């Protein structure tokens, strides 16, 4: 059985994951608007992944007899200065998500809640993977540059990443 404090924090994380999903969907829409088809495909997939992260929390809360609560969402920023700055923003956002997961892990330790601690290990590994991915994309964008040809190559790289992610077996 989870403590009320843990239930509240897991519900806060549901909001964080849902907002991540909405943010990436909005970014996908901006990419589509700008003609970055690779970026759109890549961010659409990431939006779906974040929804799956949210659903894992929802399921865990239900399994432990707690009520999952869906909160009001912050409206994501609709327009971006450039593809490069958008990806820097994503990396910053993922670092924020990691800090929220770390807070949850710390609480689980403090409460000797080993079931939740075990459940959270998946998120710890996932955040490591996502920070590595986005940090390498930010580095690539810096390296390639953002003139017309650079943007074309970045968009191509994002299309490649989206295709690889779509072909990978679904996690869960
Ligand atoms: Fe990309 O963040 Fe979820 O966990």
């Amino acid at each position: 059985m989870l403590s009320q404090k843990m239930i509240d924090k897991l519900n806060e994380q549901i909001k964080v994951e849902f907002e991540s999903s909405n943010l990436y969907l909005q970014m996908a829409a901006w990419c589509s608007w700008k003609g970055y088809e690779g970026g759109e495909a890549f961010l659409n997939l990431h939006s779906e992944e974040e929804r799956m992260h949210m659903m894992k929390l929802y399921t865990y809360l239900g399994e432990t007899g707690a009520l999952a609560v869906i909160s009001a969402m912050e409206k994501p920023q609709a327009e971006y200065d450039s593809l490069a700055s958008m990806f820097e923003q994503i990396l910053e956002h993922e670092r924020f998500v990691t800090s929220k997961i770390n807070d949850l892990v710390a609480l689980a330790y403090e409460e000797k809640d080993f079931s939740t601690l075990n459940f959270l290990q998946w998120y710890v590994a996932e955040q490591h993977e996502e920070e590595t991915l986005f940090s390498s994309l930010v580095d690539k964008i810096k390296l390639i540059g953002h003139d017309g040809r650079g943007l074309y190559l970045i968009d191509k790289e994002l299309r490649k990443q989206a295709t690889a992610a779509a072909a990978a077996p679904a996690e869960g």
Side-chain angles (χ1 to χ4, degrees):
M1 194 178 153
L2 304 179
S3 71
Q4 190 55 49
K5 191 171 175 187
M6 182 58 84
I7 293 170
D8 292 346
K9 290 283 170 197
L10 290 168
N11 274 321
E12 265 177 38
Q13 194 62 29
I14 282 190
K15 182 172 189 278
V16 169
E17 303 292 345
F18 232 150
E19 282 178 348
S20 302
S21 178
N22 283 351
L23 175 65
Y24 296 157
L25 186 62
Q26 180 64 73
M27 287 173 164
W30 180 81
C31 284
S32 160
W33 186 52
K34 288 284 179 184
Y36 303 134
E37 287 173 14
E40 184 196 8
F42 178 86
L43 286 160
N44 257 322
L45 269 176
H46 268 273
S47 171
E48 280 171 29
E49 271 191 29
E50 297 300 344
R51 188 174 191 282
M52 181 270 283
H53 298 175
M54 184 278 297
M55 285 306 294
K56 280 175 90 80
L57 287 153
Y58 166 99
T59 303
Y60 181 70
L61 280 160
E63 282 169 358
T64 54
L67 175 65
V69 176
I70 310 303
S71 315
M73 304 288 141
E74 289 289 331
K75 181 176 179 285
Q77 181 184 332
E79 291 189 42
Y80 299 87
D81 292 339
S82 65
L83 205 55
S85 69
M86 194 185 76
F87 272 89
E88 275 165 23
Q89 229 171 295
I90 295 177
L91 180 57
E92 270 319 296
H93 180 75
E94 287 300 332
R95 287 180 176 149
F96 161 73
V97 176
T98 301
S99 77
K100 300 296 285 180
I101 296 292
N102 289 346
D103 289 349
L104 274 167
V105 170
L107 178 64
Y109 261 116
E110 191 187 303
E111 294 190 345
K112 294 190 170 58
D113 178 349
F114 298 115
S115 163
T116 304
L117 195 57
N118 184 48
F119 167 71
L120 291 170
Q121 293 317 302
W122 184 89
Y123 287 86
V124 172
E126 179 68 13
Q127 281 312 117
H128 171 74
E129 218 177 86
E130 294 201 333
E131 278 199 37
T132 306
L133 169 67
F134 288 116
S135 159
S136 94
L137 283 171
V138 166
D139 287 347
K140 269 187 195 161
I141 292 171
K142 277 188 190 144
L143 208 69
I144 296 172
H146 8 127
D147 57 4
R149 185 175 151 72
L151 282 173
Y152 171 75
L153 291 172
I154 292 161
D155 200 48
K156 209 170 146 195
E157 170 67 19
L158 292 170
R159 162 71 68 194
K160 201 173 91 189
Q161 296 266 354
T163 307
E171 291 174 86

